[in-house]
Amino acid sequence: MSQDSELKINSYLSFRLGEEIFALHVGRVHKILEMTGITEVPCAPDYMKGVINLRGNVLPVVDTRVKFGMSAVEKSKTTSILVTEVNISGENVLVGLMVDAVHSVLKLEQDDLLPPPRIGDKYRSEFISNMARVKDRFYIVLNMDALFSSDEQIDLSELTQIKSQVSQISEVNSEIK
Amino acid sequence: MLTSFENFQSKFIEEALDNINDLEQALLELELSPCNKDLLERVFRVMHSLKGGGAMFGFDQLSEFTHRLESIYDLIRSGKLCVSSSLLSVTLKSVDLLRDLLNLDAVDSTEIRSRYKELSLAIEEAMQHEAHKVIASVSSFHQKKSEKPDEHTVGMATYYIHFYPGTHILQNGTNLLYLIDELRALGQMYSIAGVRNLPALEEFSPLDSFFFWDFFLATDQGADAIKDVFIFVEDDSVVEMHKMSNSSLFENSHFMERLNGLADKQNDIGFSDFADFMGSEEVPSEAADSTPEIVSKQDNANGRSSSSIRVSSEKIDGLMNLVSELVITQERLNLIASRYQIPELKMVTERVQKLTGMLRDSAFSISLIPVENMLTRFQRLVRDLSGDLGKQIVFTATGTETEMDKTMIDSLTDPILHIIRNSIDHGIEMPDERLRKGKPAKGTIHLKAGYSGANVVITISDDGAGIDVRKVRQKAIEKEIIKESDLLTEQEILNLVFLPGFSTLGSVTELSGRGVGMDVVKRNIGAIRGEVGITSEVNKGTVITITLPLVLSIIDGLLVRIGQNKYVIPLSLTDRIYPVESHLLENNFIQVMTLDNEQVPFFNLRREMGIGGEAPARCQMVVVNHTNIRMALSVDQVIGKIQAVLKPLGRLYHDQKMVSAATIMGDGTIALVLDVNTFVKQLLN
């Protein structure tokens, strides 16, 4: 998906990981799959869950919970795989993201999107492309490219911390107004 | 019309580039065997079609220049000149110019113009300089020839040419007026045009041509020159040529009268109308010439076009995808057939399997081209550079039949050129220095290509000075790449040359120090998922190894199971399978097992790959041969043979070493392809 159309379409797909809600631009999500059998690849990092057959092609699947420092996904009825497009060092690749549940498609106007927070650990905040605010609820819009360019596990608690900080600030701001 | 003409131009460029490459290769071969008549013919043929095509498609300079070149080789062919290395140097330089002349935008640049002039002069000079070196034995041959005068060079003659280009000629994009202009350029010409087979108006198609021409041409260029004009249309056209007279009939007033008279009266002027003008001067020996010579031969044309065709790479990609899907579907059919045990179904399945395999192999071979195709440029580089530097170097290659994807070969050429340039410039020493070191004066650069499992391995080795590890270390410290205190193994130090901003030679030479270093080589090869390694020994030489995955590939594999997962071991590597009690694997410290009275090192794949779960009581040892190393891999179960369509695991599994690819099986599940190479490396360390 080109940069232009990504800017025009303002739909975001929200999904749940544990107790936290994240959002991704729909332009990045190609498909939502039900959980299927995953072929494990030996000697890979823990969060690399394995590979699946996506219409005759091999799709790597990431256990997003492990990548975010949570316990591995407990398979349930709602567990899904989001087939998303990420850009890793200039190359567009498809990656399957295991998530606990897919929520809904959000319409986010430009006003709802807050800039990435400048507070907190600068390195960590680069994984957030925006904070979104819908009906006083905050979502973290993830920067997929940055997430997958890093081989490390990311501590989710830091992300949520940043989120609560941002929401506090915006509350303070609105009070001042 | 203009756009379609441009379209033909681009087709011509494509073809011409092929021709030029062929020419270059033939010239390099000619240097090794200067007396080879076939090679000379090949050179000549290529030049000829370049000349003809160039003129036709508006590459006038190309055509003109090729003509000059051709004249040298004409002399060689007739034995008046002999092939010398200086002559070849000029020709090879000219070949480079020919390539540039194909770029119509740059043709008028001053740089190309000056090169054009320079080389034209050089050709003249070479011809004059070499001309007196006629070999004595040839002169007697020449004398024999001169008794029977050569057709090409006889003087004035008048020809009658009947030319009917066929109805479809315009659809080829041929501009008939160009042809006629070309013909006119040969001498004095009288042409009469007519129409033939003209259909009724309602059936008339504006794309068809109904014209024919009768030409009377007085020329001193000989019959071959006339044939050359029609060389590109002869397949579809009727071209009849008769020699009317050994002088110009245009000077004969009777002839002109008759001609003018006939042209006014009748549409169709035949050769026979002028029969009486021929008899008087006709020499009996030329009777053969005056019988109608129909140049077009349909089956001849067919035979030529079937030898090779051009196909766009997209079509090939499409074909490969279809074949991959077919292979997967076929595996599925196998699965179903084995489930139901119907004899007829089984028969059909087996037949389909066989056909799929054959189809796969031939489809695969289409998209691959042998490594040989890129060698010409390397040979050329070695030849030119070693000459410039005063070094004596031979370039040899083995395993050139190794086939690779075309795009891969394209992106490999530049890195390898750079590596070879390095070898010539820094590696191989000057002849006297080599003699001092007790080495032959002539250095060798050797390129070896071959398959290794699912990889293609290309090594480029030279027997030059090698890389001094201490110097590299010193340099790295100067450039602050490493610290004085850092402890590195020799191999680690050698690998430093791949880092950006590293160049061991202090002075930047013109050849290999244009600010592009081994880091670019590494990056370019990395871009096609390859790896580069280097080993070097002082005064022995340097070996650079490029390992590339065989992408787009389908292999025969042995399907095995370990734990829950299925794996594929390339069948070409497997040798034997032995059943073994599992406990023998567990209590084995030296990792060697005796199979058939032979000590074989082995890998317990369950342990190597960290696969949990209970091992079966009996496991299978698959013995594989890989680059002269024999080893065994333990698996839980051997399932059978499979055709595996290799799919890359993708960027995220880039660091994965034990598994080189994945394949999708008939039931839609995935099996992983084991990279036997990794285990070999592990064994060697």
Side-chain angles (χ1 to χ4, degrees):
Chain A
M1 182 141 292
S2 75
Q3 206 69 41
D4 253 11
S5 48
E6 208 168 297
L7 286 176
K8 263 180 235 150
I9 298 169
N10 50 8
S11 301
Y12 288 78
L13 185 78
S14 67
F15 59 88
R16 183 173 61 81
L17 279 182
E19 296 307 312
E20 201 56 51
I21 308 285
F22 295 89
L24 273 178
H25 193 275
V26 287
R28 292 304 191 90
V29 183
H30 281 221
K31 234 171 163 330
I32 301 169
L33 303 174
E34 273 179 37
M35 189 62 191
T36 65
I38 296 177
T39 306
E40 239 174 89
V41 177
C43 305
D46 282 345
Y47 60 85
M48 294 305 295
K49 189 74 183 164
V51 286
I52 59 166
N53 170 5
L54 177 75
R55 287 197 197 151
N57 281 311
V58 174
L59 179 80
V61 176
V62 173
D63 191 332
T64 322
R65 284 177 61 120
V66 178
K67 179 90 180 169
F68 287 171
M70 302 160 78
S71 61
V73 170
E74 299 150 28
K75 250 199 198 167
S76 73
K77 260 190 190 162
T78 58
T79 307
S80 308
I81 298 173
L82 301 182
V83 182
T84 49
E85 186 180 321
V86 294
N87 186 302
I88 302 173
S89 46
E91 202 183 334
N92 278 339
V93 289
L94 288 182
V95 179
L97 297 184
M98 282 171 67
V99 298
D100 285 342
V102 175
H103 260 211
S104 58
V105 176
L106 303 168
K107 289 266 178 213
L108 297 181
E109 296 304 327
Q110 211 53 45
D111 298 346
D112 300 331
L113 290 171
L114 307 174
R118 252 179 256 120
I119 44 164
D121 192 333
K122 207 178 169 213
Y123 174 69
R124 295 293 166 205
S125 63
E126 74 183 14
F127 298 124
I128 302 174
S129 71
N130 286 110
M131 302 294 286
R133 183 180 179 182
V134 179
K135 291 176 192 153
D136 289 331
R137 190 158 181 189
F138 276 87
Y139 299 89
I140 296 173
V141 181
L142 291 170
N143 180 348
M144 301 294 295
D145 300 344
L147 269 172
F148 282 94
S149 296
S150 150
D151 287 338
E152 293 168 49
Q153 289 191 2
I154 291 137
D155 200 342
L156 182 83
S157 58
E158 284 185 50
L159 285 180
T160 47
Q161 221 177 324
I162 294 170
K163 191 183 99 173
S164 61
Q165 278 169 333
V166 170
S167 56
Q168 274 164 24
I169 289 173
S170 84
E171 267 161 41
V172 173
N173 281 352
S174 54
E175 272 167 33
I176 293 170
K177 275 179 194 165
Chain B
M1 194 61 206
L2 186 75
T3 48
S4 81
F5 185 65
E6 275 167 2
N7 192 7
F8 279 101
Q9 259 187 352
S10 71
K11 262 216 171 109
F12 168 72
I13 291 177
E14 219 174 87
E15 230 169 80
L17 280 176
D18 276 359
N19 274 332
I20 293 174
N21 288 344
D22 191 31
L23 180 64
E24 194 173 18
Q25 200 180 350
L27 287 169
L28 287 168
E29 281 172 34
L30 198 62
E31 181 162 43
L32 300 176
S33 51
C35 298
N36 191 326
K37 279 261 184 287
D38 289 344
L39 281 174
L40 256 178
E41 281 302 321
R42 199 164 118 202
V43 168
F44 212 73
R45 205 166 47 234
V46 172
M47 284 183 180
H48 202 79
S49 57
L50 275 176
K51 186 175 84 167
M56 198 151 152
F57 292 102
F59 296 85
D60 294 337
Q61 270 127 318
L62 178 89
S63 161
E64 203 182 309
F65 192 76
T66 322
H67 179 71
R68 282 167 203 254
L69 269 182
E70 205 184 29
S71 56
I72 300 185
Y73 284 83
D74 198 24
L75 287 178
I76 294 175
R77 198 164 62 158
S78 58
K80 287 177 197 148
L81 268 184
C82 41
V83 181
S84 70
S85 114
S86 65
L87 201 62
L88 280 173
S89 294
V90 173
T91 322
L92 283 169
K93 271 188 199 141
S94 310
V95 166
D96 291 341
L97 178 65
L98 287 182
R99 252 189 216 121
D100 292 333
L101 285 177
L102 279 176
N103 183 355
L104 278 181
D105 298 333
V107 149
D108 286 328
S109 74
T110 47
E111 189 241 333
I112 294 213
R113 275 194 184 172
S114 70
R115 268 171 65 199
Y116 187 95
K117 262 190 204 142
E118 207 175 285
L119 279 170
S120 306
L121 272 177
I123 290 171
E124 292 293 318
E125 231 168 72
M127 270 168 80
Q128 271 165 21
H129 182 69
E130 305 282 330
H132 65 270
K133 293 189 190 170
V134 185
I135 312 167
S137 63
V138 179
S139 60
S140 67
F141 167 74
H142 192 181
Q143 254 173 13
K144 227 199 256 165
K145 247 187 144 181
S146 59
E147 287 163 16
K148 207 177 85 186
D150 207 0
E151 268 299 310
H152 312 223
T153 49
V154 282
M156 212 38 142
T158 307
Y159 296 89
Y160 161 79
I161 303 146
H162 174 76
F163 174 48
Y164 173 60
T167 44
H168 301 302
I169 190 81
L170 296 177
Q171 289 165 21
N172 295 338
T174 310
N175 192 333
L176 293 169
L177 293 178
Y178 284 3
L179 277 180
I180 296 169
D181 278 347
E182 207 177 322
L183 205 57
R184 194 184 297 279
L186 293 176
Q188 198 178 3
M189 189 172 85
Y190 189 93
S191 65
I192 300 152
V195 285
R196 176 180 295 168
N197 301 339
L198 202 61
L201 187 61
E202 54 266 29
E203 287 161 26
F204 182 80
S205 158
L207 294 176
D208 289 347
S209 148
F210 304 97
F211 290 103
F212 70 88
W213 281 268
D214 290 303
F215 301 111
F216 296 90
L217 175 70
T219 176
D220 55 357
Q221 307 277 320
D224 283 353
I226 299 173
K227 280 184 205 163
D228 285 353
V229 172
F230 295 105
I231 194 161
F232 290 100
V233 293
E234 64 185 17
D235 291 348
D236 307 308
S237 314
V238 178
V239 181
E240 278 176 45
M241 195 164 81
H242 302 274
K243 191 170 184 179
M244 298 180 73
S245 154
N246 277 345
S247 64
S248 170
L249 283 174
F250 287 94
E251 284 153 18
N252 183 330
S253 57
H254 290 295
F255 172 79
M256 290 308 289
E257 231 170 75
R258 175 86 66 87
L259 191 60
N260 288 329
L262 279 172
D264 289 341
K265 269 190 286 180
Q266 71 190 76
N267 189 353
D268 209 342
I269 297 180
F271 173 58
S272 51
D273 297 324
F274 296 94
D276 51 326
F277 282 99
M278 299 162 45
S280 56
E281 294 150 79
E282 198 69 31
V283 189
S285 76
E286 252 151 356
D289 234 13
S290 55
T291 51
E293 194 177 341
I294 297 168
V295 188
S296 67
K297 268 188 198 140
Q298 207 55 47
D299 32 301
N300 183 9
N302 285 346
R304 200 177 315 149
S305 59
S306 67
S307 64
S308 89
I309 52 162
R310 267 176 187 283
V311 183
S312 77
S313 44
E314 283 139 48
K315 278 188 185 169
I316 293 175
D317 289 349
L319 179 69
M320 285 309 296
N321 284 339
L322 284 178
V323 170
S324 301
E325 271 177 49
L326 181 67
V327 167
I328 292 168
T329 316
Q330 195 270 324
E331 287 292 328
R332 202 157 161 188
L333 181 65
N334 270 1
L335 201 79
I336 295 167
S338 66
R339 196 181 299 154
Y340 293 105
Q341 296 298 339
I342 304 167
E344 273 178 317
L345 177 65
K346 209 167 177 188
M347 242 168 64
V348 173
T349 310
E350 268 166 22
R351 184 79 191 128
V352 171
Q353 177 158 25
K354 215 175 220 169
L355 288 173
T356 316
M358 278 150 68
L359 180 66
R360 174 198 79 178
D361 288 346
S362 58
F364 199 35
S365 69
I366 291 173
S367 63
L368 295 181
I369 54 174
V371 170
E372 203 179 349
N373 282 27
M374 58 177 175
L375 291 185
T376 312
R377 285 184 68 185
F378 305 153
Q379 264 159 1
R380 179 78 196 283
L381 179 79
V382 172
R383 183 192 184 277
D384 289 1
L385 267 194
S386 59
D388 287 354
L389 293 171
K391 294 179 179 177
Q392 294 173 15
I393 304 173
V394 278
F395 178 77
T396 55
T398 51
T400 53
E401 70 284 353
T402 307
E403 289 187 318
M404 285 170 79
D405 198 60
K406 188 183 180 302
T407 50
M408 217 170 223
I409 288 207
D410 287 347
S411 31
L412 256 185
T413 312
D414 278 340
I416 295 182
L417 275 177
H418 191 83
I419 292 169
I420 292 178
R421 214 178 276 138
N422 267 338
S423 281
I424 300 170
D425 197 12
H426 308 310
I428 307 271
E429 312 90 331
M430 297 301 280
D432 51 333
E433 199 184 335
R434 289 181 63 85
L435 288 172
R436 251 201 322 275
K437 285 178 179 173
K439 293 197 263 193
K442 220 169 200 176
T444 310
I445 295 174
H446 184 76
L447 183 140
K448 191 177 102 193
Y451 300 106
S452 163
N455 292 317
V456 173
V457 180
I458 296 175
T459 57
I460 298 122
S461 50
D462 67 55
D463 61 351
I467 298 174
D468 191 340
V469 177
R470 279 168 309 175
K471 267 193 198 160
V472 174
R473 190 186 154 84
Q474 199 54 44
K475 188 94 184 176
I477 292 167
E478 271 170 38
K479 299 231 164 181
E480 296 178 345
I481 295 169
I482 55 169
K483 284 203 257 340
E484 184 80 57
S485 56
D486 283 343
L487 286 174
L488 294 163
T489 62
E490 289 202 351
Q491 189 57 53
E492 281 169 331
I493 294 171
L494 274 181
N495 287 341
L496 291 176
V497 300
F498 291 118
L499 292 178
F502 193 94
S503 171
T504 44
L505 209 74
S507 65
V508 172
T509 67
E510 195 209 332
L511 311 168
S512 54
R514 294 194 189 115
V516 202
M518 290 299 281
D519 58 315
V520 180
V521 170
K522 194 184 172 81
R523 203 169 56 226
N524 286 352
I525 290 172
I528 46 173
R529 294 164 208 272
E531 277 174 44
V532 205
I534 183 167
T535 56
S536 183
E537 212 172 315
V538 174
N539 289 334
K540 288 267 173 64
T542 308
V543 180
I544 290 179
T545 311
I546 301 170
T547 312
L548 292 156
L550 260 178
V551 288
L552 249 182
S553 147
I554 308 174
I555 59 163
D556 284 317
L558 187 74
L559 188 64
V560 300
R561 185 179 60 80
I562 309 165
Q564 298 293 315
N565 276 357
K566 285 173 184 153
Y567 293 89
V568 175
I569 301 172
L571 200 65
S572 54
L573 303 178
T574 53
D575 188 24
R576 268 151 211 259
I577 303 166
Y578 298 95
V580 166
E581 303 286 332
S582 281
H583 65 87
L584 286 175
L585 302 179
E586 297 304 324
N587 309 319
N588 196 321
F589 293 105
I590 50 167
Q591 301 279 307
V592 171
M593 185 159 282
T594 312
L595 300 166
D596 255 0
N597 298 325
E598 193 191 349
Q599 299 270 309
V600 181
F602 75 89
F603 286 96
N604 183 351
L605 291 187
R606 257 180 183 279
R607 192 163 64 210
E608 294 298 329
M609 303 201 290
I611 294 164
E614 193 64 28
R618 275 171 91 79
C619 66
Q620 307 283 332
M621 298 299 281
V622 180
V623 179
V624 293
N625 283 325
H626 188 275
T627 52
N628 304 328
I629 287 170
R630 205 171 151 80
M631 61 179 183
L633 303 170
S634 80
V635 300
D636 289 0
Q637 187 196 351
V638 173
I639 299 170
K641 210 185 116 182
I642 183 180
Q643 288 189 78
V645 179
L646 300 191
K647 305 267 181 182
L649 279 176
R651 184 71 175 72
L652 285 172
Y653 280 111
H654 203 59
D655 296 332
Q656 173 52 252
K657 291 275 181 267
M658 286 182 196
V659 174
S660 60
T663 184
I664 292 162
M665 289 185 298
D667 58 0
T669 58
I670 292 178
L672 301 172
V673 181
L674 287 174
D675 188 357
V676 178
N677 216 0
T678 316
F679 296 105
V680 173
K681 267 189 211 150
Q682 213 170 320
L683 196 69
L684 291 178
N685 290 337

